[in-house]
Amino acid sequence: MADPRFIRVRDVAKTYVAGATEVEAVARVAFDVAEGQFVSILGPSGCGKSTLLMMCAGLEPASDGTIEIAGRPVVGPRREFGLIFQDATLLPWKSSLENVLFPIRMMKRDPAQYRERAEALLGQVGLGDFLHKRPSELSGGMRQRVAICRALIHDPELLMMDEPFSALDAITRDEMNEALARIWETQRKTGLFVTHSIREAVFLADRVLVMSGRPSTIALDFQVRFARPRDPALVETPEFAKICAMLKRTIEAGYARSGRSAA
């Protein structure tokens, strides 16, 4: 039975201190995420979305509050986590297959036991013919597909993504959204996904958390009720556009709170 509180975030806050200056980035955030659920995190630029994700990943300590994942407090990075950054950060001298297997080597596991899984993952994202290509021989979208496979190779319980498609052009970004949606349908990981794209957030997620302006809280917790698997044509429907418009208004209110302009 899936855990309805696989992720438990309770009154989490983050304040950065530089000399005599204190900047309150995140203020009293609280939410739960059920096991197997995909949650997108939206909000004004600089509101602390990535900071919140890094606290959940154990890469950034919280100033206050608690984060529990799978019943255990998060006090640092864990092998059960998979993390994808804005940049693919592939090793340039290694092939796609070797890059995917790199975390296995770092964990002191036998790469031979994971080779079949690595090849299957790369095939699933359309890179079956690019197993032995180096990053310089791949497009930006291809490199991010390799990064997704690398994050999934050790079968993590939780996949966290920090604006992984932000550097891609619009067409490639749409292709990556569709690829990630297909991967999620087969892998069924719990997912936390930070993005600036409202369309991306709605298309991929079961829930969208909208953060307010800094110091940020959760301004809206919205359930996305579109059936899965998601057809790419969904983004052209009036209901999809209506939800995106509502979320845009909520984000603009977050900018107003922070005293900045959405433009």
PDB file of all heavy atoms in Angstrom, residues 19 27 40 43-44 47 69 82 104 122 155 173 176 192 203 209 237 249 256 263:
ATOM      1  N   GLY A  19      27.306  37.723   6.995  1.00  0.00           N
ATOM      2  CA  GLY A  19      27.743  38.791   7.893  1.00  0.00           C
ATOM      3  C   GLY A  19      26.598  39.221   8.794  1.00  0.00           C
ATOM      4  O   GLY A  19      25.996  38.408   9.500  1.00  0.00           O
ATOM      5  N   ALA A  27       9.667  30.567   4.300  1.00  0.00           N
ATOM      6  CA  ALA A  27       9.063  30.775   5.618  1.00  0.00           C
ATOM      7  C   ALA A  27       7.914  29.798   5.846  1.00  0.00           C
ATOM      8  O   ALA A  27       6.886  29.883   5.188  1.00  0.00           O
ATOM      9  CB  ALA A  27       8.552  32.218   5.743  1.00  0.00           C
ATOM     10  N   SER A  40       4.661  19.106  -9.027  1.00  0.00           N
ATOM     11  CA  SER A  40       5.419  20.225  -9.593  1.00  0.00           C
ATOM     12  C   SER A  40       5.405  21.393  -8.605  1.00  0.00           C
ATOM     13  O   SER A  40       4.408  21.614  -7.904  1.00  0.00           O
ATOM     14  CB  SER A  40       4.807  20.691 -10.918  1.00  0.00           C
ATOM     15  OG  SER A  40       4.973  19.735 -11.929  1.00  0.00           O
ATOM     16  N   GLY A  43       6.439  29.038  -8.857  1.00  0.00           N
ATOM     17  CA  GLY A  43       6.476  30.240  -8.044  1.00  0.00           C
ATOM     18  C   GLY A  43       7.286  31.333  -8.708  1.00  0.00           C
ATOM     19  O   GLY A  43       7.976  31.098  -9.702  1.00  0.00           O
ATOM     20  N   PRO A  44       7.213  32.552  -8.165  1.00  0.00           N
ATOM     21  CA  PRO A  44       7.981  33.667  -8.722  1.00  0.00           C
ATOM     22  C   PRO A  44       9.472  33.377  -8.728  1.00  0.00           C
ATOM     23  O   PRO A  44       9.976  32.622  -7.890  1.00  0.00           O
ATOM     24  CB  PRO A  44       7.654  34.833  -7.771  1.00  0.00           C
ATOM     25  CG  PRO A  44       6.406  34.436  -7.076  1.00  0.00           C
ATOM     26  CD  PRO A  44       6.437  32.939  -6.983  1.00  0.00           C
ATOM     27  N   CYS A  47      11.912  32.846  -5.477  1.00  0.00           N
ATOM     28  CA  CYS A  47      11.059  32.647  -4.301  1.00  0.00           C
ATOM     29  C   CYS A  47      11.549  31.518  -3.391  1.00  0.00           C
ATOM     30  O   CYS A  47      11.037  31.352  -2.288  1.00  0.00           O
ATOM     31  CB  CYS A  47       9.611  32.392  -4.715  1.00  0.00           C
ATOM     32  SG  CYS A  47       9.319  30.744  -5.416  1.00  0.00           S
ATOM     33  N   ILE A  69      11.360  11.693   4.809  1.00  0.00           N
ATOM     34  CA  ILE A  69      11.077  10.957   3.578  1.00  0.00           C
ATOM     35  C   ILE A  69      11.173   9.475   3.883  1.00  0.00           C
ATOM     36  O   ILE A  69      12.166   9.017   4.466  1.00  0.00           O
ATOM     37  CB  ILE A  69      12.045  11.360   2.450  1.00  0.00           C
ATOM     38  CG1 ILE A  69      11.827  12.834   2.085  1.00  0.00           C
ATOM     39  CG2 ILE A  69      11.852  10.464   1.225  1.00  0.00           C
ATOM     40  CD1 ILE A  69      12.755  13.374   1.013  1.00  0.00           C
ATOM     41  N   GLY A  82      17.201  10.314  -6.404  1.00  0.00           N
ATOM     42  CA  GLY A  82      17.786  10.619  -7.701  1.00  0.00           C
ATOM     43  C   GLY A  82      17.579  12.103  -7.960  1.00  0.00           C
ATOM     44  O   GLY A  82      16.490  12.625  -7.698  1.00  0.00           O
ATOM     45  N   ILE A 104      26.702   4.016 -10.409  1.00  0.00           N
ATOM     46  CA  ILE A 104      26.871   2.641  -9.929  1.00  0.00           C
ATOM     47  C   ILE A 104      28.317   2.403  -9.499  1.00  0.00           C
ATOM     48  O   ILE A 104      28.589   1.786  -8.465  1.00  0.00           O
ATOM     49  CB  ILE A 104      26.456   1.642 -11.030  1.00  0.00           C
ATOM     50  CG1 ILE A 104      24.987   1.834 -11.402  1.00  0.00           C
ATOM     51  CG2 ILE A 104      26.735   0.210 -10.583  1.00  0.00           C
ATOM     52  CD1 ILE A 104      24.020   1.696 -10.252  1.00  0.00           C
ATOM     53  N   LEU A 122      18.048   3.920 -21.676  1.00  0.00           N
ATOM     54  CA  LEU A 122      18.439   4.748 -22.819  1.00  0.00           C
ATOM     55  C   LEU A 122      17.565   4.451 -24.031  1.00  0.00           C
ATOM     56  O   LEU A 122      17.194   5.358 -24.778  1.00  0.00           O
ATOM     57  CB  LEU A 122      19.918   4.529 -23.141  1.00  0.00           C
ATOM     58  CG  LEU A 122      20.901   5.166 -22.142  1.00  0.00           C
ATOM     59  CD1 LEU A 122      22.307   4.595 -22.329  1.00  0.00           C
ATOM     60  CD2 LEU A 122      20.919   6.682 -22.297  1.00  0.00           C
ATOM     61  N   ASP A 155      17.533   2.844  -9.397  1.00  0.00           N
ATOM     62  CA  ASP A 155      16.155   2.617  -8.971  1.00  0.00           C
ATOM     63  C   ASP A 155      15.821   3.383  -7.687  1.00  0.00           C
ATOM     64  O   ASP A 155      15.399   2.796  -6.686  1.00  0.00           O
ATOM     65  CB  ASP A 155      15.900   1.121  -8.771  1.00  0.00           C
ATOM     66  CG  ASP A 155      14.418   0.780  -8.787  1.00  0.00           C
ATOM     67  OD1 ASP A 155      13.629   1.569  -9.342  1.00  0.00           O
ATOM     68  OD2 ASP A 155      14.044  -0.264  -8.220  1.00  0.00           O
ATOM     69  N   ARG A 173      11.890  21.199 -25.536  1.00  0.00           N
ATOM     70  CA  ARG A 173      11.331  21.144 -24.183  1.00  0.00           C
ATOM     71  C   ARG A 173      10.025  20.352 -24.171  1.00  0.00           C
ATOM     72  O   ARG A 173       9.793  19.519 -23.293  1.00  0.00           O
ATOM     73  CB  ARG A 173      11.106  22.559 -23.657  1.00  0.00           C
ATOM     74  CG  ARG A 173      10.751  22.630 -22.188  1.00  0.00           C
ATOM     75  CD  ARG A 173      10.893  24.046 -21.675  1.00  0.00           C
ATOM     76  NE  ARG A 173      10.666  24.111 -20.245  1.00  0.00           N
ATOM     77  CZ  ARG A 173      11.134  25.079 -19.472  1.00  0.00           C
ATOM     78  NH1 ARG A 173      11.850  26.053 -19.998  1.00  0.00           N
ATOM     79  NH2 ARG A 173      10.879  25.081 -18.180  1.00  0.00           N
ATOM     80  N   MET A 176      10.821  16.762 -24.415  1.00  0.00           N
ATOM     81  CA  MET A 176      11.332  16.238 -23.158  1.00  0.00           C
ATOM     82  C   MET A 176      10.216  16.028 -22.146  1.00  0.00           C
ATOM     83  O   MET A 176      10.236  15.062 -21.370  1.00  0.00           O
ATOM     84  CB  MET A 176      12.395  17.184 -22.589  1.00  0.00           C
ATOM     85  CG  MET A 176      13.692  17.199 -23.376  1.00  0.00           C
ATOM     86  SD  MET A 176      14.459  15.568 -23.533  1.00  0.00           S
ATOM     87  CE  MET A 176      14.689  15.130 -21.810  1.00  0.00           C
ATOM     88  N   LEU A 192       9.435  15.158  -7.393  1.00  0.00           N
ATOM     89  CA  LEU A 192       9.367  16.588  -7.089  1.00  0.00           C
ATOM     90  C   LEU A 192      10.039  17.318  -8.239  1.00  0.00           C
ATOM     91  O   LEU A 192      11.214  17.055  -8.546  1.00  0.00           O
ATOM     92  CB  LEU A 192      10.079  16.919  -5.770  1.00  0.00           C
ATOM     93  CG  LEU A 192       9.386  16.541  -4.463  1.00  0.00           C
ATOM     94  CD1 LEU A 192      10.251  16.957  -3.278  1.00  0.00           C
ATOM     95  CD2 LEU A 192       8.009  17.182  -4.365  1.00  0.00           C
ATOM     96  N   PHE A 203       1.112  19.690 -17.248  1.00  0.00           N
ATOM     97  CA  PHE A 203       1.141  18.496 -18.096  1.00  0.00           C
ATOM     98  C   PHE A 203       1.725  17.298 -17.361  1.00  0.00           C
ATOM     99  O   PHE A 203       1.244  16.162 -17.504  1.00  0.00           O
ATOM    100  CB  PHE A 203       1.940  18.761 -19.370  1.00  0.00           C
ATOM    101  CG  PHE A 203       2.032  17.563 -20.283  1.00  0.00           C
ATOM    102  CD1 PHE A 203       0.933  17.144 -21.014  1.00  0.00           C
ATOM    103  CD2 PHE A 203       3.214  16.852 -20.405  1.00  0.00           C
ATOM    104  CE1 PHE A 203       1.014  16.030 -21.848  1.00  0.00           C
ATOM    105  CE2 PHE A 203       3.313  15.748 -21.233  1.00  0.00           C
ATOM    106  CZ  PHE A 203       2.201  15.337 -21.962  1.00  0.00           C
ATOM    107  N   LEU A 209       2.199  22.716  -6.580  1.00  0.00           N
ATOM    108  CA  LEU A 209       2.355  23.596  -5.431  1.00  0.00           C
ATOM    109  C   LEU A 209       2.862  24.936  -5.940  1.00  0.00           C
ATOM    110  O   LEU A 209       3.905  24.998  -6.595  1.00  0.00           O
ATOM    111  CB  LEU A 209       3.348  23.021  -4.422  1.00  0.00           C
ATOM    112  CG  LEU A 209       3.039  21.640  -3.824  1.00  0.00           C
ATOM    113  CD1 LEU A 209       4.136  21.238  -2.849  1.00  0.00           C
ATOM    114  CD2 LEU A 209       1.685  21.639  -3.143  1.00  0.00           C
ATOM    115  N   THR A 237      -6.259  21.945 -25.088  1.00  0.00           N
ATOM    116  CA  THR A 237      -7.665  21.937 -24.696  1.00  0.00           C
ATOM    117  C   THR A 237      -8.023  23.168 -23.864  1.00  0.00           C
ATOM    118  O   THR A 237      -7.167  23.728 -23.157  1.00  0.00           O
ATOM    119  CB  THR A 237      -8.000  20.675 -23.889  1.00  0.00           C
ATOM    120  OG1 THR A 237      -7.231  20.683 -22.668  1.00  0.00           O
ATOM    121  CG2 THR A 237      -7.672  19.421 -24.684  1.00  0.00           C
ATOM    122  N   ARG A 249      -2.307  33.587 -12.583  1.00  0.00           N
ATOM    123  CA  ARG A 249      -2.810  34.651 -11.704  1.00  0.00           C
ATOM    124  C   ARG A 249      -2.271  34.486 -10.281  1.00  0.00           C
ATOM    125  O   ARG A 249      -1.921  35.467  -9.622  1.00  0.00           O
ATOM    126  CB  ARG A 249      -4.339  34.641 -11.687  1.00  0.00           C
ATOM    127  CG  ARG A 249      -4.985  35.115 -12.987  1.00  0.00           C
ATOM    128  CD  ARG A 249      -6.466  35.381 -12.808  1.00  0.00           C
ATOM    129  NE  ARG A 249      -7.203  34.178 -12.427  1.00  0.00           N
ATOM    130  CZ  ARG A 249      -7.738  33.332 -13.291  1.00  0.00           C
ATOM    131  NH1 ARG A 249      -7.604  33.527 -14.599  1.00  0.00           N
ATOM    132  NH2 ARG A 249      -8.416  32.276 -12.856  1.00  0.00           N
ATOM    133  N   ALA A 256       3.343  40.293  -6.729  1.00  0.00           N
ATOM    134  CA  ALA A 256       2.814  41.504  -6.098  1.00  0.00           C
ATOM    135  C   ALA A 256       3.155  41.532  -4.615  1.00  0.00           C
ATOM    136  O   ALA A 256       3.524  42.575  -4.061  1.00  0.00           O
ATOM    137  CB  ALA A 256       1.300  41.577  -6.297  1.00  0.00           C
ATOM    138  N   ALA A 263       6.884  40.854 -15.099  1.00  0.00           N
ATOM    139  CA  ALA A 263       7.581  41.110 -16.356  1.00  0.00           C
ATOM    140  C   ALA A 263       9.069  41.176 -16.154  1.00  0.00           C
ATOM    141  O   ALA A 263       9.836  41.079 -17.079  1.00  0.00           O
ATOM    142  CB  ALA A 263       7.085  42.426 -16.952  1.00  0.00           C
TER     143      ALA A 263
END
